[in-house]
Amino acid sequence: MHKIMVAIAPGSEEIEAVTIIDVLRRAELEVDVVSVCPQGKLQITASRGVKLVADCHINDVVASDYQMLVLPGGLPGSEVFRDNQQLVELLKQRLAGQWLAAICAAPAVVLATHHICSEAQMTCHPAFQQQIPAKQLSQQRVVVDLSQRLITSQGPGTALEFSLSLVEQLLDQDTATSVAAPMVLAVQN
C-alpha cells in the first residue's frame, strides 16, 4: 500500500504543499490531499493567497488507508492543524509502520506541542527551533528518524529535498533519483 495523506489548511505554505503533492505523484504514488478547513470546505487559501482544492475533508479520512501522513508548514496553517482534534488524534494514534512527515512550522507547532514523536530527532524552520527540545533538535535541512518513522525538514527552500526523502523512504533511492532527474535539480557538492 502506497497511499499518502497530505493535509492542507487555511494558511498552509503553498510551496511546500504543492511540491510534496507533485513529487509524490511523479513517483506514481497515490496521494489524497485532505482539507483540515474548520468549515468543512475543500478549497483553502494558502499563506500567500494561492487557492488549493483538496480531494476530501479530514472528516472523511480513515487513517488506516495511508502509509504516510504529511503536514506542510506555514502559518496559520500549522496552527489550524494543531487545533484540529480529529487530525491530532489521527497523528497520535498512528498505526505501526505508518510514516509521519512534517516541514517548516509543523514539527514545532503541531508535533512538539502535542508531544508526538517526543523521542525523535527532528528539525523545523529556524524561527521555531526554540520550541523543539534541545535533545531532539537537528540543524540538518532534512532529518529522517528511522526508529520513529518520522521525516522533518526546515522550510520552503528544502521542500524538494524533503519530498524526495519521502519517496526514498516509501519506495527506494533509485526511484527518488529517477523522479529528481527530469526536474534538473542543482547538484549538491
Side-chain angles (χ1 to χ4, degrees):
M1 172 185 74
H2 294 297
K3 189 173 180 183
I4 298 93
M5 180 189 98
V6 178
I8 59 172
S12 286
E13 166 49 62
E14 47 268 77
I15 288 174
E16 295 163 1
V18 172
T19 300
I20 294 162
I21 295 161
D22 179 275
V23 169
L24 293 173
R25 288 186 174 162
R26 285 175 190 251
E28 299 181 4
L29 293 163
E30 186 178 350
V31 177
D32 281 348
V33 180
V34 176
S35 170
V36 186
C37 186
Q39 295 82 21
K41 297 179 183 175
L42 295 183
Q43 180 174 303
I44 64 104
T45 302
S47 63
R48 303 301 182 276
V50 174
K51 296 194 182 333
L52 302 174
V53 180
D55 300 309
C56 58
H57 192 268
I58 189 73
N59 294 337
D60 304 318
V61 166
V62 177
S64 61
D65 288 349
Y66 301 102
Q67 185 176 1
M68 180 180 279
L69 312 172
V70 186
L71 304 176
L75 289 178
S78 292
E79 295 166 333
V80 173
F81 294 157
R82 176 198 66 205
D83 298 339
N84 184 286
Q85 281 308 113
Q86 190 170 355
L87 177 65
V88 169
E89 285 308 310
L90 189 143
L91 299 173
K92 284 183 174 180
Q93 296 173 6
R94 187 165 59 113
L95 304 173
Q98 220 171 24
W99 280 92
L100 178 56
I103 185 170
C104 194
V109 173
V110 183
L111 304 183
T113 297
H114 290 289
H115 308 289
I116 298 168
C117 295
S118 59
E119 300 299 315
Q121 287 296 296
M122 64 176 69
T123 192
C124 67
H125 191 279
F128 296 92
Q129 289 181 351
Q130 74 282 359
Q131 295 179 38
I132 305 284
K135 68 179 182 166
Q136 289 181 261
L137 182 62
S138 170
Q139 298 299 322
Q140 294 177 351
R141 292 168 58 85
V142 177
V143 175
V144 178
D145 188 313
L146 293 172
S147 68
Q148 298 292 310
R149 297 182 77 83
L150 175 68
I151 305 168
T152 55
S153 191
Q154 293 187 343
T158 65
L160 269 172
E161 295 165 61
F162 174 70
S163 300
L164 290 167
S165 290
L166 305 182
V167 172
E168 181 180 350
Q169 295 308 314
L170 288 167
L171 299 172
D172 54 51
Q173 178 59 54
D174 289 343
T175 304
T177 300
S178 69
V179 167
M183 290 193 280
V184 194
L185 297 177
V187 177
Q188 300 283 329
N189 291 330

